[in-house]
Amino acid sequence: MNRRDILKRLSLLTLATTAFNNMRGLAAPAAPLPVPPPAVPDLFAELGVTKVINANVTMTFLSGSLMQPEVLEAINSTSHDFANMFELQDKVGAKIAEMLKVEAAMVTSGAACAILLGTAASITGADKEKIRQIPNLPGPRPEVIMQKSHRYLFDQAVTTTGAKIVEVEGPEGMEKAFSEQTVMALFFNAAEKHSVMHEEFLAIAKRHKVPTFLDAAADVPPVENLFKFQKMGFDLVTFSGGKMIRGPQSAGLLFGRKDLIEAAKLNHSPYEAPIGRPMKVNKEEMFGMYAALKSYLARDHQKEWNEWLERAKHIATRLSTIPTLTTEIVVDPGPANAFPSLAVDWDHQRIKTTPKEVLAALKQGNPSIVAGGHQNRLMIGVVLLRPDQVDIVAQRVKDILEHAV
Ligand SMILES: *Cc1c(COP(=O)(O)O)cnc(C)c1O
């Protein structure tokens, strides 16, 4: 039976059902029967790209997260018309600012871009000449204060602007670090250690009238974090769009003080020349980011959390027949990746394989499964699985472990 035949049969079936319902005095069904999706080519297959099941946490190299259906709808429905990108950024930003109860907001090409634009904005303000010159401003380099324990790979987004990072330790060290060149103080929210806590960091920077920036890229859930740090007093805050907010991977949020957001926009596309021009966000991603945030804020977060727990319990039950195996639902304390996963342990004398070998076997299979692990523990992430993948993951782990008994 070819596709046309299937469609024909389906529509006959629809007619027959409707006629049958009408005959029985029932209302015709409100929604038409589902039509099979058009036979689109499988581009994964066409290009020989391996499909991956992410039984871990959001990772950039694994394409972030899967976009919410509302996001795809926003991308598709807005792709047939042109828009003025200045107007779109302004209107989307105003709406996001309203949703997040903050002065101003914009869509960036991810949190790393937001760090760069926030730094650039702190350096240039609305000064057109500075915007043109950055990262090659004459004179001493602008300085950004960071705690030593907060240094991380992403701070290259700071130095890309030409700024240099001044490392500080403790409140006294921070107090002494300000100079004529200081333009911003950057706080990495998910750092393992803070030598200056949030409130004190803010108080010191405010005393020196220097804008504060908080990187909370991976720090939802909980949803409250989207509101917490602007309330605390940070001038700029960023979250990734492509992590648990489940927007486009190449989008992110930058929000906070209005003058700084306006300055960040001046340093960004669609202007031709500024430092942010190579970090363009397209029209559909802007609409998509807005749709993702709207959907994220409207979600029943308790229900979603319970679903995650159910998934972990389901996998645990499926594995429970394996001798010596024990499981534990572990909730990462965060602030990044603060959600439940399933930890799996077994007696290595009895089941002769290590978590590392299980991870390798999962990865080599088809579809490839990427799970996590700490040394002697296998960690199965549940929050990024499609509902139909929960059983696939459970079965594959079970097969691998049973094989090693
Ligand atoms: C993921 C992440 C980034 C980068 O975010 P993108 O949206 O991928 O640019 C920056 N900082 C932290 C702490 C992150 O976790």
Side-chain angles (χ1 to χ4, degrees):
M1 198 160 51
N2 65 25
R3 202 170 91 76
R4 199 172 335 128
D5 287 338
I6 297 175
L7 286 176
K8 204 155 63 187
R9 276 180 197 218
L10 260 178
S11 51
L12 283 176
L13 187 66
T14 313
L15 282 178
T17 315
T18 312
F20 178 66
N21 285 343
N22 286 346
M23 236 159 50
R24 298 173 62 209
L26 294 172
L33 283 178
V35 173
V40 289
D42 180 348
L43 297 182
F44 276 88
E46 191 170 317
L47 297 176
V49 175
T50 312
K51 286 184 183 168
V52 178
I53 294 178
N54 189 350
N56 203 327
V57 298
T58 57
M59 288 176 282
T60 297
F61 90 98
L62 267 189
S63 63
S65 58
L66 299 180
M67 286 183 273
Q68 288 283 23
E70 295 92 323
V71 177
L72 292 169
E73 211 174 274
I75 288 171
N76 283 321
S77 68
T78 57
S79 66
H80 310 284
D81 294 285
F82 291 92
N84 178 309
M85 294 303 287
F86 292 109
E87 183 195 3
L88 178 58
Q89 178 71 282
D90 286 350
K91 297 260 168 82
V92 163
K95 191 69 191 175
I96 290 175
E98 187 190 314
M99 289 155 82
L100 296 180
K101 301 183 170 54
V102 65
E103 270 179 38
M106 69 184 290
V107 180
T108 65
S109 64
C113 169
I115 296 167
L116 182 140
L117 290 181
T119 310
S122 301
I123 294 170
T124 66
D127 186 323
K128 288 212 168 67
E129 190 52 22
K130 285 186 179 166
I131 290 168
R132 196 182 63 76
Q133 289 179 325
I134 196 175
N136 300 305
L137 285 169
R141 290 171 71 183
E143 293 172 3
V144 171
I145 288 177
M146 279 185 82
Q147 300 182 45
K148 195 168 183 197
S149 61
H150 285 201
R151 291 301 306 274
Y152 61 163
L153 291 172
F154 291 109
D155 64 36
Q156 190 157 15
V158 170
T159 53
T160 304
T161 64
K164 103 180 167 202
I165 291 167
V166 175
E167 287 182 7
V168 303
E169 253 180 306
E172 294 84 33
M174 180 170 173
E175 192 73 62
K176 280 193 248 144
F178 289 82
S179 77
E180 284 292 297
Q181 275 67 52
T182 311
V183 292
M184 193 178 91
L186 173 62
F187 196 102
F188 170 26
N189 197 43
E192 269 174 28
K193 181 174 157 276
H194 307 306
S195 68
V196 190
M197 298 306 289
H198 296 75
E199 283 82 1
E200 195 155 24
F201 187 90
L202 285 167
I204 297 170
K206 297 263 182 255
R207 263 206 297 283
H208 292 272
K209 299 192 169 50
V210 162
T212 47
F213 188 119
L214 180 109
D215 175 1
D219 300 354
V220 287
V223 62
E224 292 78 33
N225 279 355
L226 282 166
F227 303 89
K228 182 173 172 184
F229 302 104
Q230 59 270 42
K231 239 187 273 169
M232 220 181 237
F234 280 93
D235 295 304
L236 289 171
V237 178
T238 185
F239 283 86
S240 287
K243 292 177 182 168
M244 294 303 281
I245 298 175
R246 293 183 57 187
Q249 187 189 12
S250 46
L253 298 169
L254 175 62
F255 55 85
R257 236 168 71 187
K258 190 161 176 69
D259 61 320
L260 290 171
I261 294 295
E262 288 308 317
K265 286 187 205 168
L266 295 174
N267 278 286
H268 196 214
S269 178
Y271 293 104
E272 284 80 7
I275 189 160
R277 171 59 196 241
M279 295 149 220
K280 186 194 284 168
V281 181
N282 77 23
K283 169 175 56 94
E284 291 79 5
E285 287 169 322
M286 285 201 194
F287 281 115
M289 189 66 241
Y290 162 65
L293 183 65
K294 194 167 144 187
S295 152
Y296 188 72
L297 293 177
R299 196 164 316 162
D300 184 340
H301 294 276
Q302 188 57 51
K303 187 167 161 236
E304 186 178 56
W305 189 271
N306 292 341
E307 274 165 25
W308 292 338
L309 293 178
E310 283 309 312
R311 289 171 173 202
K313 280 185 211 156
H314 179 78
I315 297 172
T317 307
R318 292 288 310 275
L319 299 178
S320 63
T321 54
I322 298 169
T324 76
L325 184 137
T326 56
T327 53
E328 182 194 355
I329 295 177
V330 180
V331 177
D332 193 304
N337 302 320
F339 40 69
S341 300
L342 185 71
V344 185
D345 300 292
W346 58 89
D347 180 347
H348 294 196
Q349 299 303 324
R350 191 70 200 280
I351 304 174
K352 293 189 174 46
T353 188
T354 63
K356 201 171 157 201
E357 287 164 348
V358 175
L359 287 175
L362 286 168
K363 194 168 163 214
Q364 274 154 26
N366 183 18
S368 176
I369 297 173
V370 174
H374 306 306
Q375 298 189 351
N376 293 321
R377 259 191 153 177
L378 175 68
M379 293 290 287
I380 303 176
V382 294
V383 303
L384 299 172
L385 300 178
R386 292 198 318 248
D388 61 299
Q389 293 173 334
V390 177
D391 254 337
I392 298 174
V393 171
Q395 190 59 47
R396 284 271 296 282
V397 173
K398 194 169 153 123
D399 287 346
I400 293 165
L401 291 175
E402 277 175 348
H403 218 78
V405 173

